[in-house]
Amino acid sequence: MSSYGTDDEQVWPGVIDEVPAALRPLLDDPAFVDEGLGAPRVTVCLWWETGGSAWRAGSDIVFPSGSPDPDGSGHLFRLLTDRSPEVVQAHFEEDYGRPVPLERWRVLDGGQALVEVLPPRRPA
């Protein structure tokens, strides 16, 4: 559902359609907009309004079929739901394409910046 995976590179239908008016200006923030397309780069959008009782998302999203994680939320949010050293280690090994020892995660969990913990990549 990433806009990078669609033919027109636009936001997946329904993902931002119901964002409340008070929050819509955030979608125009340069951090979220691809200047070349003039469109937000959004794969998933959740919001919690002041006075709300739960997180909300678009209700008219038609998820692609044939995938156990069609919107990518399992991948995108796994560190929010499981911060075990093994899950974090697997995440960074996947993202950086190299081994990350568990003791490195323990340093990260203590608040040290990732750039200080992982040595630079060596040329192949």
Side-chain angles (χ1 to χ4, degrees):
M1 291 177 50
S2 167
S3 53
Y4 293 107
T6 63
D7 292 335
D8 62 1
E9 295 188 358
Q10 296 298 307
V11 177
W12 192 269
V15 172
I16 61 173
D17 297 348
E18 297 174 37
V19 171
L23 300 175
R24 289 204 70 84
L26 297 172
L27 296 173
D28 295 325
D29 186 295
F32 298 113
V33 175
D34 183 311
E35 291 180 23
L37 293 173
R41 287 299 187 188
V42 178
T43 299
V44 62
C45 183
L46 304 168
W47 61 90
W48 187 306
E49 294 179 86
T50 301
S53 60
W55 286 99
R56 294 199 42 224
S59 60
D60 293 329
I61 301 170
V62 177
F63 294 94
S65 61
S67 172
D69 189 19
D71 65 353
S73 62
H75 172 75
L76 292 170
F77 300 129
R78 70 180 166 183
L79 293 182
L80 294 176
T81 59
D82 185 350
R83 294 189 55 85
S84 67
E86 294 78 15
V87 169
V88 174
Q89 177 190 36
H91 172 81
F92 284 109
E93 285 184 345
E94 181 181 312
D95 280 4
Y96 283 87
R98 60 184 179 181
V100 177
L102 282 177
E103 59 270 13
R104 300 288 178 136
W105 160 242
R106 290 184 182 90
V107 172
L108 286 172
D109 197 30
Q112 189 173 356
L114 178 63
V115 73
E116 297 171 11
V117 175
L118 290 177
R121 285 189 176 176
R122 294 188 180 103

